[in-house]
Amino acid sequence: MQVYNAPLRDMRFVLNELHNDDGFGDLPGMEEFDTDLTDAVLEEAARFCRDILLPLNRSGDEEGCTHENGVVRTPKGFKDAYDQFTAAGWAALASDPEYGGQGLPEALNKLVEEMICSANLSFSLYPGLTHGGTTAIKGHGSDELKAKWLPKMISGEWSGTMCLTEPHCGTDLGMLRTKAEPRDDGSFKVTGNKIFISAGDHDLAENIVHLVLARLPDAPEGVKGISLFLVPKYMPKDDFSVGPANGVTCTAIEHKMGLKGSATCQMSFDESTGWLVGEPNKGMAAMFTMMNTERVSVGIQGLGVGEAAYQSAVWYAKDRVQGRALSGAKYPEQAADPIIVHPDVRRMLLTMRAYNEGCRALSAWVSRALDAQKHSPDPEVRQRAEEFTALMTPVVKALFTDLATESANLAVQVYGGHGYIRESGVEQYVRDARICQIYEGTNGIQALDLVGRKMGANFGRNLRSFFHPVSNFIEESKGEGPMQPMIEALEKAFGALQLSTATIAQKGMADPEEAGAAATDYLRLLGLVAMGYCFAKATKIAGLQIFFGSANGEEGDKAFYETKIKTATFFFERILPQATASFLAIRSGKKSMMAFTEDEF
Amino acid sequence: MQVYNAPLRDMRFVLNELHNDDGFGDLPGMEEFDTDLTDAVLEEAARFCRDILLPLNRSGDEEGCTHENGVVRTPKGFKDAYDQFTAAGWAALASDPEYGGQGLPEALNKLVEEMICSANLSFSLYPGLTHGGTTAIKGHGSDELKAKWLPKMISGEWSGTMCLTEPHCGTDLGMLRTKAEPRDDGSFKVTGNKIFISAGDHDLAENIVHLVLARLPDAPEGVKGISLFLVPKYMPKDDFSVGPANGVTCTAIEHKMGLKGSATCQMSFDESTGWLVGEPNKGMAAMFTMMNTERVSVGIQGLGVGEAAYQSAVWYAKDRVQGRALSGAKYPEQAADPIIVHPDVRRMLLTMRAYNEGCRALSAWVSRALDAQKHSPDPEVRQRAEEFTALMTPVVKALFTDLATESANLAVQVYGGHGYIRESGVEQYVRDARICQIYEGTNGIQALDLVGRKMGANFGRNLRSFFHPVSNFIEESKGEGPMQPMIEALEKAFGALQLSTATIAQKGMADPEEAGAAATDYLRLLGLVAMGYCFAKATKIAGLQIFFGSANGEEGDKAFYETKIKTATFFFERILPQATASFLAIRSGKKSMMAFTEDEF
């Protein structure tokens, strides 16, 4: 059974308690969002996700999208849910108030995103892609484009897409062939074929605004000759109501492993009218604006699915009675004990739980940096926040989604044979989560981005924006009695990370393949240290709260803090040891992989 | 694209070269199976799997099985393939010649099984379950039952099932409710409902022989009151041709994540006539005979899927051009390089490859023990072989299938976005492989079987049957120059395994939950050491062959041995380090899991 209630207490913890000393300020620039307001938003979002989106998750998977006579339809109930979603203003949550958005801090918005993804990942794609599109237009479009297009997109009346991939090129966009020819009126004729376009066509919004990568006639070869165009499905009339069709058609939808409620489209642009977004031949920069936003969001998608998988598995582990506890019957009055009594079942549940809480804590930190980057009055803070988000974007994307697939698979394992049956709902999490490791840049590409670009960039300042807080925390926490084992474990893993960083920097300078060979393990190692840091901080805060009494006196708070410390302990004892395996793998270098000739595979 | 050609050279290596000194003898008791004959069998099986079974794999997944008007139909082509399969004698391969079988050694048979599972896992279930059934009848049935039923089943004319699970009980069979009431003629009336019955009904064979766990009227409660019955779909006439229906109906088939070409049935037995197999109330023993055979086979299923996933990924990595090698263009004349040039893609491919070769080598060792157990003239060898297979059965089942899921997921990752599309065929491997971690006892149950039963059984002789060869090999290999790093790594991992064994034995004695908390990590650790031992042995043999020239002078042999050493090196540098993480997790004990109250989840 798919079970989901937003983990509101933990969300408030990572939002209000965990990162207050991170130097990015107090919800920077967002002072009007006090605790009452953020609590209200979280609670309302939780209700919407549970009552409206969750019930459509499995039916959406069973029914899927259809493509008949050129029309793409989403599963039953999606249109109605989308209307309620936009009417309630959820689509406009994080967007600029100048264009009708509600200007919510990312620190809050990402928590709402997580809930939406937990409840219905397929649904989340429709508003999610729109948000990516508005970010690109806002960042790179002319004032005219912004004034015209953003309000309709931000309200959700019109939705958006990112049209990058073509059949022969995904990762290597330099090979793309879609063409854009200038017209006299300043617009362009866009012609070409795109594949894997999420939300490329559907029946939720009255118009769809495609952001399309294409080449101008005189463009240089490769990635330096790519420009970004805004191409609507229907041309707008003068009053920006929906006008005639614009040569944009969905030629097919993909049959996929999962995410079946989200229409993944093959799109054809046939002399479609479009407008340049940003400078000619600078499309990759604009695309990366969109992409970086999306990459963090894809990480959140993973976390969302991981949380739903965890909750569904906990429900089953308490419900399913089978066998007896190894230490003797726990419920002698029943025919058998619930399977949650077993250490190995708990190992699986707590692995998911630790992954989710670790990712949520890390994502809250990154979200605060996203806000600081935009809103902090202090240029030094803005720069540090930018460096930190640059470093963490690939980590959030790849780490969270790798762990989501692990979590979803663990949930199926908790269900046993019943988990393999579609009606249980948990195998859907495995199929849905799987795409998150791939789209918006495969996780291998994220790892290369981390070691190849982000690690060494800005004279190492990106890395220091993360290393400094960690080493400071370790130093100041030494000698604090009950936390010593945690601090020692964190220090050891952090030492392995520092050593690996030095090794990769040194070897990778001379031979980029050495960096490539270390990339995936390095990303995991860094992610483990980051989660470990968050858990250690959380333990410290929780310990103080238990000792001195809860700051806000909320009922049940002591129980929350005690459980937080237990989860952190599990993380340090059972998850962090993975760091050693990554460290040893990194140290071994590229040799064992590159020794193979192609024929030997 | 689903690509599969049986890895014949590696199969011959593990069959003829790797384990000759394991003390189980030279294909014990099976001297007539010389290299010419085994080569011929392997080649013919490879052809059958590639030409007949592989082409039905994806179509079978798309079409699935159907259940209409009480009739279960397998996907198009399955019936024809099954007819060819039985006509060619593949169904009878490993069965007793006394009843029409071909009496092939398991060492050979398991390789053929692997091929069938690589080509079409769904198809493999139909003959696979029959084989499990014949094993139980042969081991526990009366002479009359054997003489009557085995020939039809072994030929494949009639197929078999194992009917264990009921809606409320899977792992805990003590709770089952199906009843068997004695009739005057010595037969029984069997009544009850079973779920998750693989091959429970279908259109491949003219009759289906169900082996059903049920309770006699006066049976004691729990697992001590379970008996095993043979219940046919149709009653046989006197001449053992197919007679009238026997109250056995398939009431529904399951909608599953994968394995869609295999009908998973809900079965209803309504006063169906059956015969007792073995003693009353001793059904669990008979069931375990069947189950242990099946558990090794499920491990092989995982290996089969892992190999197909690897080959399909290699094909794509060579075919897909995208971007350039990090060290500069490898194919400057093309628009881009194939993605196999990238270290991270190779990391994924070689991880799969190392898993597959490691599992194949280990499975060949276990298969030889299965043969020795049956055929060795030396009672001491028979006993040692039995102890070794008892120990390794849960390891083969759980380790191979966990790694299969990892491999299948890696294959999807190599394909990127295309891997998520059903047409690519690789996401099917993820969905198909997933069940192998669950059925015939979840992998958590396997781990408990290992630490709770197998580890301490026979005064530790089970464990010694594995530990002795490993420690002897380490001792005798010390000081052999080029292999030193491998031997040291193996020694270290083996040391961690020994230490963990002692810890679990000691702590688990006082508190079985401590053993339960360590179980999964212990199984992985033992599996890694076992694969490492096989790889180190393989390296030694390969090194000698390269140095002294190939023993059998086969063309391409030097290349094979060189590649084997490279794969082994990759295993030691990149995979074996996982052992440290497992070791640390085991050492941390149960505390962090059992500290949680049920409410805290």
Side-chain angles (χ1 to χ4, degrees):
Chain A
M1 193 165 78
Q2 297 187 337
V3 175
Y4 180 66
N5 286 291
L8 289 173
R9 185 63 188 89
D10 197 47
M11 288 182 160
R12 290 201 308 271
F13 176 72
V14 300
L15 178 64
N16 301 321
E17 302 173 60
L18 184 58
H19 297 294
N20 293 335
D21 63 349
D22 66 0
F24 292 141
D26 187 12
L27 285 192
M30 301 274 97
E31 290 70 17
E32 69 267 38
F33 292 94
D34 61 12
T35 317
D36 282 352
L37 180 53
T38 58
D39 279 1
V41 170
L42 290 175
E43 275 163 33
E44 200 45 52
R47 196 170 305 130
F48 188 86
C49 290
R50 187 194 59 206
D51 295 346
I52 309 296
L53 298 183
L54 180 64
L56 299 174
N57 192 42
R58 231 190 68 68
S59 58
D61 180 61
E62 283 296 337
E63 187 184 340
C65 295
T66 56
H67 178 247
E68 281 170 1
N69 307 321
V71 177
V72 177
R73 285 189 212 289
T74 55
K76 222 172 274 125
F78 271 46
K79 168 71 178 145
D80 187 44
Y82 186 80
D83 289 345
Q84 292 184 58
F85 186 83
T86 51
W90 295 115
L93 219 55
S95 300
D96 196 331
E98 196 182 334
Y99 303 102
Q102 304 200 20
L104 247 69
E106 283 298 337
L108 180 57
N109 181 52
K110 287 283 178 272
L111 295 172
V112 176
E113 272 188 28
E114 183 199 320
M115 292 184 203
I116 298 169
C117 297
S118 286
N120 197 322
L121 187 64
S122 284
F123 181 89
S124 81
L125 273 270
Y126 298 100
L129 269 298
T130 309
H131 188 62
T134 58
T135 311
I137 295 169
K138 177 133 190 297
H140 300 269
S142 65
D143 287 343
E144 192 191 343
L145 279 186
K146 285 193 257 191
K148 277 186 177 168
W149 297 87
L150 286 181
K152 289 271 187 183
M153 293 177 74
I154 284 173
S155 72
E157 279 171 278
W158 296 3
S159 73
T161 78
M162 294 164 52
C163 296
L164 282 49
T165 305
E166 299 182 7
H168 58 288
C169 70
T171 298
D172 186 1
L173 288 169
M175 296 163 80
L176 70 80
R177 294 178 192 147
T178 298
K179 285 179 195 168
E181 293 173 85
R183 287 209 184 94
D184 293 342
D185 64 356
S187 72
F188 293 81
K189 267 194 322 200
V190 176
T191 302
N193 296 301
K194 297 284 179 178
I195 62 167
F196 298 164
I197 307 307
S198 295
D201 201 5
H202 55 80
D203 54 1
L204 301 185
E206 59 175 10
N207 200 3
I208 300 173
V209 180
H210 301 282
L211 287 163
V212 184
L213 290 183
R215 289 187 181 287
L216 290 167
D218 54 353
E221 278 192 11
V223 290
K224 289 177 179 162
I226 295 175
S227 309
L228 184 67
F229 296 89
L230 184 163
V231 185
K233 175 179 178 184
Y234 297 111
M235 290 293 285
K237 294 187 192 159
D238 288 346
D239 64 352
F240 249 67
S241 61
V242 169
N246 186 27
V248 181
T249 39
C250 170
T251 51
I253 60 173
E254 303 291 353
H255 306 104
K256 308 190 300 288
M257 182 184 192
L259 207 74
K260 297 193 180 190
S262 163
T264 305
C265 302
Q266 297 179 19
M267 300 300 297
S268 156
F269 296 89
D270 184 13
E271 303 201 344
S272 307
T273 297
W275 293 271
L276 187 65
V277 180
E279 303 286 305
N281 302 328
K282 302 282 186 205
M284 288 301 279
M287 193 276 294
F288 266 111
T289 301
M290 196 154 66
M291 191 70 114
N292 278 330
T293 307
E294 285 304 305
R295 283 179 173 176
V296 174
S297 289
V298 172
I300 304 290
Q301 291 179 4
L303 168 56
V305 177
E307 177 67 31
Y310 169 70
Q311 293 193 22
S312 301
V314 166
W315 172 80
Y316 189 79
K318 290 179 177 178
D319 185 72
R320 174 78 170 173
V321 298
Q322 199 79 179
R324 288 296 184 188
L326 296 168
S327 55
K330 288 264 161 75
Y331 296 85
E333 73 287 2
Q334 295 180 17
D337 288 334
I339 61 173
I340 201 167
V341 302
H342 295 294
D344 195 62
V345 171
R346 289 167 166 247
R347 178 190 59 80
M348 296 192 274
L349 295 175
L350 291 174
T351 298
M352 296 185 238
R353 182 187 182 100
Y355 285 165
N356 292 332
E357 291 190 12
C359 289
R360 186 174 300 118
L362 177 55
S363 125
W365 190 12
V366 174
S367 305
R368 286 175 56 84
L370 286 170
D371 288 324
Q373 189 178 338
K374 243 198 282 187
H375 299 294
S376 173
D378 182 342
E380 189 274 328
V381 170
R382 286 202 303 274
Q383 188 186 333
R384 190 161 45 79
E386 196 177 323
E387 288 156 2
F388 182 71
T389 54
L391 179 76
M392 284 296 176
T393 295
V395 177
V396 167
K397 198 281 184 183
L399 176 75
F400 289 20
T401 60
D402 282 350
L403 299 185
T405 286
E406 281 187 46
S407 287
N409 273 297
L410 286 170
V412 170
Q413 200 65 20
V414 170
Y415 273 70
H418 294 274
Y420 198 65
I421 306 298
R422 291 182 64 119
E423 282 79 355
S424 75
V426 288
E427 60 85 42
Q428 182 187 347
Y429 294 132
V430 174
R431 291 184 291 102
D432 282 0
R434 190 64 188 80
I435 189 60
C436 302
Q437 298 173 282
I438 296 170
Y439 62 14
E440 312 300 348
T442 65
N443 286 0
I445 290 294
Q446 304 301 319
L448 285 178
D449 180 44
L450 178 64
V451 299
R453 291 201 198 100
K454 303 302 177 56
M455 202 175 95
N458 297 322
F459 307 100
R461 284 201 311 269
N462 288 3
L463 266 184
R464 283 199 296 278
S465 71
F466 169 59
F467 281 13
H468 276 177
V470 176
S471 66
N472 290 344
F473 176 81
I474 292 173
E475 282 315 310
E476 75 190 30
S477 305
K478 279 185 179 169
E480 291 184 19
M483 279 190 67
Q484 275 325 287
M486 263 188 208
I487 299 300
E488 277 164 30
L490 179 62
E491 187 171 23
K492 199 176 150 212
F494 183 53
L497 176 64
Q498 287 175 304
L499 205 55
S500 300
T501 307
T503 308
I504 294 171
Q506 195 183 14
K507 287 209 267 179
M509 192 89 75
D511 180 356
E513 283 180 349
E514 284 289 356
T520 291
D521 280 292
Y522 182 78
L523 188 148
R524 175 60 72 105
L525 177 55
L526 192 151
L528 287 166
V529 170
M531 290 197 291
Y533 166 69
C534 291
F535 270 122
K537 271 188 83 170
T539 301
K540 198 171 198 174
I541 292 167
L544 291 172
Q545 292 285 357
I546 293 169
F547 193 75
F548 293 110
S550 167
N552 52 10
E554 195 176 340
E555 210 167 313
D557 260 13
K558 185 150 177 272
F560 170 79
Y561 294 121
E562 284 171 352
T563 309
K564 177 62 79 181
I565 295 175
K566 291 180 188 177
T567 307
T569 305
F570 179 86
F571 177 87
F572 276 94
E573 295 193 355
R574 289 270 166 177
I575 309 290
L576 193 62
Q578 294 174 11
T580 313
S582 295
F583 172 68
L584 293 171
I586 292 166
R587 209 180 53 175
S588 74
K590 77 170 198 179
K591 207 169 60 272
S592 66
M593 298 171 217
M594 304 316 285
F596 279 75
T597 66
E598 285 179 26
D599 290 342
E600 284 182 303
F601 281 92
Chain B
M1 193 164 79
Q2 296 187 338
V3 174
Y4 179 67
N5 286 291
L8 290 172
R9 184 63 187 89
D10 197 48
M11 289 181 160
R12 292 202 308 272
F13 177 72
V14 300
L15 179 65
N16 302 322
E17 303 173 59
L18 185 58
H19 297 295
N20 293 336
D21 63 348
D22 65 1
F24 293 140
D26 187 14
L27 283 194
M30 301 273 98
E31 290 70 18
E32 70 266 40
F33 292 93
D34 62 11
T35 317
D36 282 351
L37 181 53
T38 58
D39 281 1
V41 170
L42 290 175
E43 274 162 33
E44 200 44 54
R47 197 170 304 130
F48 188 86
C49 290
R50 188 194 59 207
D51 296 347
I52 309 296
L53 298 183
L54 180 64
L56 299 174
N57 192 42
R58 231 188 70 66
S59 58
D61 180 61
E62 283 295 336
E63 187 184 339
C65 295
T66 55
H67 177 248
E68 282 170 359
N69 307 324
V71 177
V72 177
R73 284 188 211 290
T74 55
K76 222 171 274 125
F78 271 48
K79 168 72 178 145
D80 187 45
Y82 186 80
D83 289 345
Q84 291 184 59
F85 186 84
T86 52
W90 294 115
L93 219 54
S95 300
D96 195 331
E98 196 182 335
Y99 303 102
Q102 304 199 21
L104 248 68
E106 283 297 338
L108 181 56
N109 180 52
K110 286 283 176 273
L111 296 171
V112 176
E113 272 189 29
E114 183 199 321
M115 292 185 204
I116 297 169
C117 297
S118 286
N120 197 323
L121 186 64
S122 284
F123 181 90
S124 78
L125 274 270
Y126 298 100
L129 268 298
T130 310
H131 189 62
T134 58
T135 310
I137 296 169
K138 178 136 190 295
H140 301 269
S142 65
D143 288 342
E144 192 190 344
L145 278 187
K146 285 192 258 191
K148 276 187 177 167
W149 298 87
L150 285 179
K152 290 270 187 184
M153 291 178 76
I154 284 173
S155 70
E157 280 170 278
W158 296 3
S159 72
T161 76
M162 294 164 52
C163 297
L164 283 49
T165 304
E166 299 183 6
H168 58 288
C169 70
T171 297
D172 185 3
L173 288 169
M175 296 163 82
L176 71 79
R177 294 176 193 151
T178 298
K179 287 178 193 167
E181 294 171 87
R183 287 209 184 92
D184 293 342
D185 64 356
S187 72
F188 293 81
K189 265 193 323 199
V190 177
T191 301
N193 296 301
K194 297 282 179 178
I195 61 167
F196 299 166
I197 307 308
S198 295
D201 201 7
H202 55 80
D203 55 1
L204 301 184
E206 59 176 11
N207 200 2
I208 301 174
V209 181
H210 302 281
L211 287 163
V212 184
L213 290 184
R215 290 187 179 287
L216 290 167
D218 54 353
E221 276 192 16
V223 291
K224 289 179 180 161
I226 296 174
S227 308
L228 184 66
F229 297 88
L230 184 162
V231 184
K233 176 179 176 183
Y234 298 110
M235 291 294 284
K237 294 186 192 158
D238 287 345
D239 64 351
F240 249 67
S241 61
V242 169
N246 186 28
V248 180
T249 39
C250 171
T251 50
I253 60 174
E254 303 290 353
H255 305 105
K256 308 190 298 289
M257 182 183 191
L259 206 74
K260 297 191 180 191
S262 162
T264 305
C265 301
Q266 297 179 20
M267 300 299 297
S268 156
F269 297 88
D270 184 12
E271 304 201 343
S272 307
T273 298
W275 294 271
L276 187 66
V277 181
E279 302 286 305
N281 301 329
K282 301 282 186 206
M284 289 300 279
M287 192 276 295
F288 267 112
T289 301
M290 196 154 65
M291 191 70 113
N292 279 330
T293 307
E294 285 303 305
R295 283 180 173 176
V296 173
S297 289
V298 172
I300 304 290
Q301 291 179 4
L303 168 56
V305 177
E307 178 66 30
Y310 169 70
Q311 292 192 23
S312 301
V314 166
W315 172 82
Y316 189 77
K318 289 180 177 178
D319 185 70
R320 174 75 170 174
V321 298
Q322 197 78 178
R324 288 296 184 189
L326 295 168
S327 55
K330 289 263 160 77
Y331 295 85
E333 72 288 0
Q334 295 181 16
D337 289 335
I339 61 173
I340 201 168
V341 302
H342 296 294
D344 195 62
V345 171
R346 289 167 165 246
R347 178 189 61 77
M348 295 192 275
L349 295 175
L350 291 173
T351 299
M352 296 184 238
R353 183 188 181 99
Y355 285 165
N356 293 333
E357 290 189 13
C359 290
R360 187 174 300 119
L362 177 55
S363 124
W365 190 13
V366 174
S367 306
R368 286 174 57 83
L370 287 169
D371 288 325
Q373 189 179 340
K374 244 198 282 188
H375 298 293
S376 173
D378 181 343
E380 188 273 330
V381 169
R382 286 203 304 275
Q383 187 185 334
R384 190 162 42 81
E386 196 177 323
E387 289 156 0
F388 182 71
T389 54
L391 180 75
M392 283 297 176
T393 295
V395 178
V396 167
K397 197 283 182 180
L399 176 74
F400 289 20
T401 60
D402 282 349
L403 300 184
T405 286
E406 281 187 46
S407 287
N409 273 297
L410 285 170
V412 169
Q413 200 66 19
V414 169
Y415 274 69
H418 293 274
Y420 198 65
I421 307 297
R422 291 183 65 119
E423 282 79 355
S424 75
V426 287
E427 59 86 41
Q428 183 188 346
Y429 293 132
V430 175
R431 290 184 292 102
D432 283 0
R434 190 65 189 81
I435 190 60
C436 302
Q437 298 173 283
I438 297 170
Y439 62 14
E440 311 303 345
T442 64
N443 286 0
I445 291 294
Q446 305 301 319
L448 285 179
D449 179 44
L450 177 65
V451 300
R453 291 202 198 99
K454 304 301 176 58
M455 202 175 95
N458 295 323
F459 308 99
R461 284 201 311 269
N462 289 3
L463 265 184
R464 283 199 296 278
S465 71
F466 169 58
F467 281 12
H468 276 177
V470 176
S471 67
N472 290 345
F473 175 80
I474 291 172
E475 283 314 311
E476 77 192 26
S477 304
K478 278 186 181 169
E480 290 184 21
M483 278 190 69
Q484 276 325 287
M486 263 187 208
I487 300 301
E488 277 163 29
L490 179 62
E491 187 171 23
K492 201 177 148 209
F494 183 54
L497 176 64
Q498 287 174 303
L499 205 54
S500 300
T501 307
T503 307
I504 295 171
Q506 194 183 12
K507 288 209 270 181
M509 193 89 76
D511 180 356
E513 282 180 349
E514 283 289 356
T520 291
D521 280 292
Y522 182 78
L523 188 147
R524 174 62 71 105
L525 177 56
L526 192 150
L528 286 166
V529 170
M531 290 198 291
Y533 166 69
C534 291
F535 271 122
K537 270 189 83 171
T539 300
K540 198 171 196 173
I541 292 167
L544 291 171
Q545 291 286 355
I546 292 169
F547 193 75
F548 293 110
S550 166
N552 53 9
E554 194 176 340
E555 208 166 315
D557 260 13
K558 184 152 176 270
F560 170 79
Y561 294 121
E562 284 171 351
T563 309
K564 179 60 80 181
I565 296 176
K566 291 180 188 178
T567 308
T569 305
F570 179 87
F571 177 87
F572 277 95
E573 294 194 355
R574 290 270 168 176
I575 309 290
L576 193 61
Q578 293 173 13
T580 313
S582 295
F583 172 68
L584 293 171
I586 293 166
R587 207 180 54 176
S588 74
K590 77 169 198 179
K591 207 170 59 273
S592 66
M593 298 169 216
M594 302 318 283
F596 278 75
T597 65
E598 285 180 27
D599 291 341
E600 284 183 302
F601 281 91

